[in-house]
Amino acid sequence: MARCYCRWRRVLICLCTPCIFLILLFTYVSIMLCMGMTEVATPANTFIATNPHFVANGLLKNETFAPLPKTFWEDQQQTKALWNHLQQAVDYHFNPILHPKKAKRLLRNSSFYDFLLKQSFSEVASFDSVMEDFDKLPEQLQRFVRYMQRRDYPILHHPDGGCGAQGKGEQEPTLLLFAIKTTPANFNNRQAIRQTWGQVGWVAGQKINGSGRDNVGGYVRRVFLLGKQNTKELSVDVSELLKLESNLYGDILQWDFEDTFFNLTLKDVLFWSWFSRFCRQTRFVFKGDDDVFVNTPKLITYLQIQLQTARVKNNMQEFMIGEVIEAASPNRVNISKYFIPDSFYEGSYPTYAGGGGVVYSGQVARRLHLMSKRVHLFPIDDVYVGICMIRLSAFPMHHPAFLMFDFPKDDWKDPCLYHTILVVHKRSPEQVVQLWAGLKETQAQCGDVISETADLLGFSHTTISGFTENGLKNMQ
């Protein structure tokens, strides 16, 4: 019986084994045919990933920010842009993923930042593809690169009042410091500012009917930021005149570097360093050009209201307002003063506030000072501020009363409109004086316009922040 059982088992194995293999083969062929049919049915424009790096699904869907690249970890070695290489060499040391312990140690040791900035030049010099394009850069940009790692320029003239020129008898911390970028030759611009919107001391705020805030005000200080003028270009030496001006007004802060357009960024960096040392109690900074007009009483009231708004008061480490520019790209027109070739910088610009006039808190100024120590200088000053801000995870808030590109059409001729704005750019010294006088002369006749725009500027009881909706979301 046992022999019979073994014989039938061998017969079954011999017969079933081929059947099993045939079934597996049939299953495999069926699967392959289905996959092939699926590929044929796939549209021709289906994305096929060829990038070896991780790719996130889509862009960050937030209209407040400029588009972010899809690639999470880009290979910067493929670019020839000099600034990108230099900054990557510095960022490498602060990468918390690659160097978790080292990154934390460096963040606490800001004195080591200067060494990293200089070391990055040595590291990048080994890339022939980068350095071979250096001689092709415009002469102005070559000169900028040669000196972009230096930040230790001595002060030639310092304000009398420590943190800028001040009025007599200050009894509380300074509410606002006007920090105005100017050049030695622009005496008329500085004088117009001194006589009008840039006056120091106690400044009363804008009286808004029905706001219940008729008695607000604050102490204001003033400082002008300058480098040294090229005497060959100016054809006259104004250094002695500037010395007399400094002695007379005590509001000149001048460093020993050449005052050029690309060195405006250097003014920012040196100003933040100076501010962090001498202006510890100052609440806000207005940084702007010497050809802007500021409605100072309205700005004073606006800032005082912000200090009483819990949402803003608790986020002073991120407070910056101005006319925000988003999704901007470098200017590639070689005849423009903003020209930045792709051999120097690749990529889009971060969100930034127009540099003609911007307001930020004293806390932001000190944070920018620390962050700037680990970010290479960039030729366009307001873009550089945007680069530092985004690295601080802070974003400027757009305010419609900051007009860096003037009024639309011929609206600038309406005197009442100057009661509705905080800052407007591109005004001559003569226009500044006239506009300042006009604010007082037209106060009564423009009362209706002032009341109608109270909500927009943040002066009403119910709407006091003055931020746009997107800006408010960022503060949360």
Side-chain angles (χ1 to χ4, degrees):
M1 186 68 182
R3 294 179 180 177
C4 182
Y5 176 78
C6 293
R7 187 181 303 113
W8 280 107
R9 187 175 63 177
R10 293 194 193 97
V11 171
L12 288 175
I13 292 174
C14 292
L15 291 175
C16 293
T17 300
C19 294
I20 293 173
F21 279 109
L22 286 173
I23 292 173
L24 293 174
L25 179 62
F26 177 80
T27 303
Y28 174 78
V29 171
S30 299
I31 294 174
M32 295 301 296
L33 287 174
C34 291
M35 292 178 61
M37 293 175 64
T38 303
E39 291 179 357
V40 172
T42 302
N45 60 352
T46 299
F47 173 75
I48 300 176
T50 57
N51 195 318
H53 309 302
F54 170 74
V55 178
N57 293 324
L59 301 177
L60 179 63
K61 295 181 179 179
N62 188 330
E63 296 179 355
T64 304
F65 308 112
L68 298 179
K70 291 183 179 180
T71 305
F72 176 74
W73 189 273
E74 294 183 353
D75 184 7
Q76 293 288 351
Q77 303 296 337
Q78 297 177 359
T79 180
K80 292 185 178 181
L82 176 60
W83 191 92
N84 298 62
H85 272 293
L86 289 171
Q87 190 57 46
Q88 186 194 34
V90 176
D91 292 342
Y92 176 82
H93 295 278
F94 293 93
N95 191 306
I97 299 176
L98 300 179
H99 310 287
K101 296 182 179 180
K102 180 180 179 182
K104 292 181 180 180
R105 186 172 66 254
L106 288 177
L107 288 173
R108 294 191 296 265
N109 185 16
S110 60
S111 61
F112 191 63
Y113 295 173
D114 289 339
F115 170 76
L116 290 179
L117 291 175
K118 295 178 180 178
Q119 184 188 43
S120 64
F121 278 87
S122 301
E123 296 178 10
V124 171
S126 62
F127 295 110
D128 295 335
S129 61
V130 175
M131 301 309 297
E132 67 184 9
D133 289 334
F134 175 77
D135 293 335
K136 300 178 183 178
L137 295 176
E139 177 58 33
Q140 184 182 15
L141 198 50
Q142 288 189 35
R143 188 163 59 250
F144 172 84
V145 173
R146 293 190 185 99
Y147 292 96
M148 66 184 291
Q149 57 180 310
R150 182 183 174 186
R151 306 184 183 189
D152 56 344
Y153 296 92
I155 294 178
L156 300 178
H157 295 291
H158 195 281
D160 290 343
C163 181
Q166 65 183 94
K168 296 181 179 179
E170 277 195 15
Q171 299 176 0
E172 57 187 56
T174 303
L175 175 68
L176 179 63
L177 170 66
F178 284 121
I180 309 302
K181 294 180 178 181
T182 183
T183 61
N186 285 5
F187 172 78
N188 290 340
N189 297 64
R190 294 191 292 276
Q191 197 65 3
I193 292 173
R194 293 184 181 111
Q195 296 173 358
T196 59
W197 57 263
Q199 298 178 42
V200 300
W202 175 264
V203 176
Q206 173 72 62
K207 294 183 179 180
I208 303 297
N209 295 333
S211 69
R213 302 180 182 277
D214 292 347
N215 298 320
V216 299
Y219 285 101
V220 175
R221 294 194 183 193
R222 178 186 66 238
V223 63
F224 291 104
L225 312 177
L226 303 87
K228 289 179 63 177
Q229 193 79 22
N230 189 321
T231 56
K232 295 181 179 179
E233 295 179 358
L234 193 60
S235 72
V236 62
D237 187 359
V238 298
S239 58
E240 288 301 319
L241 295 176
L242 192 63
K243 181 178 180 179
L244 292 174
E245 183 182 352
S246 178
N247 293 335
L248 181 60
Y249 297 103
D251 57 5
I252 300 296
L253 178 56
Q254 184 187 32
W255 294 275
D256 190 12
F257 65 84
E258 187 176 355
D259 206 323
T260 63
F261 175 69
F262 277 0
N263 277 344
L264 289 176
T265 304
L266 188 57
K267 284 186 182 180
D268 269 319
V269 171
L270 294 177
F271 166 70
W272 294 332
S273 176
W274 173 84
F275 180 90
S276 299
R277 180 179 179 185
F278 294 99
C279 306
R280 298 182 181 276
Q281 301 299 318
T282 301
R283 297 289 187 87
F284 297 99
V285 175
F286 174 90
K287 189 212 69 178
D289 296 340
D290 63 2
D291 60 348
V292 300
F293 176 78
V294 181
N295 189 331
T296 306
K298 191 174 291 293
L299 180 59
I300 291 294
T301 301
Y302 173 79
L303 295 178
Q304 286 285 20
I305 293 175
Q306 303 315 300
L307 290 175
Q308 300 173 26
T309 307
R311 186 193 303 274
V312 179
K313 186 177 181 180
N314 296 332
N315 289 277
M316 278 297 162
Q317 72 276 8
E318 299 179 9
F319 182 89
M320 176 181 285
I321 60 170
E323 179 160 9
V324 174
I325 301 170
E326 300 176 340
S329 298
N331 190 314
R332 304 303 191 189
V333 181
N334 58 11
I335 60 174
S336 171
K337 72 174 184 178
Y338 300 99
F339 171 59
I340 300 294
D342 53 10
S343 59
F344 180 80
Y345 177 82
E346 286 186 4
S348 60
Y349 287 154
T351 299
Y352 65 94
V358 62
V359 175
Y360 46 79
S361 67
Q363 294 181 39
V364 167
R366 288 184 283 273
R367 293 183 70 201
L368 287 171
H369 166 57
L370 295 177
M371 179 54 66
S372 68
K373 290 175 173 289
R374 45 185 282 202
V375 179
H376 277 288
L377 299 181
F378 193 81
I380 312 300
D381 58 330
D382 44 11
V383 172
Y384 181 77
V385 176
I387 294 173
C388 292
M389 285 289 288
I390 200 171
R391 286 165 176 266
L392 291 171
S393 296
F395 303 92
M397 310 300 169
H398 179 74
H399 198 296
F402 283 71
L403 304 180
M404 295 302 99
F405 302 99
D406 216 325
F407 293 103
K409 299 181 179 180
D410 292 332
D411 290 349
W412 63 271
K413 297 179 182 179
D414 184 354
C416 288
L417 286 183
Y418 288 92
H419 289 277
T420 69
I421 57 95
L422 294 175
V423 185
V424 64
H425 201 190
K426 298 297 182 184
R427 293 296 182 269
S428 68
E430 294 76 16
Q431 290 174 322
V432 168
V433 174
Q434 294 172 4
L435 291 172
W436 184 254
L439 283 182
K440 297 180 179 179
E441 295 172 358
T442 59
Q443 181 74 27
Q445 72 182 68
C446 298
D448 293 339
V449 176
I450 297 173
S451 298
E452 290 174 0
T453 57
D455 286 353
L456 175 65
L457 294 176
F459 291 95
S460 71
H461 290 292
T462 57
T463 307
I464 60 176
S465 73
F467 288 135
T468 61
E469 182 178 358
N470 287 336
L472 286 172
K473 290 179 180 178
N474 285 336
M475 296 292 287
Q476 295 177 346

